[in-house]
Amino acid sequence: MSEKQEIIRKMIELQKKFIDFEHANGINPADYFHPAPGHMLDGYRQQYQELANRLVDIAHEEKGSRR
C-alpha cells in the first residue's frame, strides 16, 4: 500500500471513530477543542491535521508543485 493510500485509510478510520463516538455520546465543543487527557478526542484534531497536511504534501510532490 502506498503512503498516500495508508494516510487516506487512517483518515477514514479516524472519521469513523469520531462519527461512532458522536452518535453514541454527542460532541461537546469543549471536548472537541480542549479534550481532557485520556478523552477519546485527546489528540484527534492534531493527528487528523498532520495526516491531512502530509496528504497535501504528497499531492504537491506528485504534481511537482509546492505550497
Side-chain angles (χ1 to χ4, degrees):
M1 184 177 296
S2 72
E3 181 184 7
K4 182 167 81 172
Q5 290 172 321
E6 181 63 19
I7 290 170
I8 292 169
R9 184 195 65 74
K10 287 179 183 178
M11 291 174 76
I12 291 171
E13 183 180 311
L14 283 171
Q15 289 174 339
K16 285 181 180 180
K17 286 180 182 178
F18 180 89
I19 290 168
D20 289 345
F21 182 84
E22 179 184 27
H23 287 166
N25 306 296
I27 297 291
N28 180 333
D31 289 336
Y32 182 76
F33 290 104
H34 303 289
H39 190 280
M40 181 275 194
L41 295 174
D42 187 23
Y44 172 83
R45 290 185 321 119
Q46 296 82 358
Q47 183 179 7
Y48 196 87
Q49 187 64 49
E50 288 171 7
L51 291 169
N53 285 336
R54 180 62 188 134
L55 196 57
V56 168
D57 291 341
I58 291 171
H60 281 290
E61 290 169 10
E62 289 177 350
K63 294 298 178 184
S65 61
R66 59 187 171 169
R67 281 182 176 216

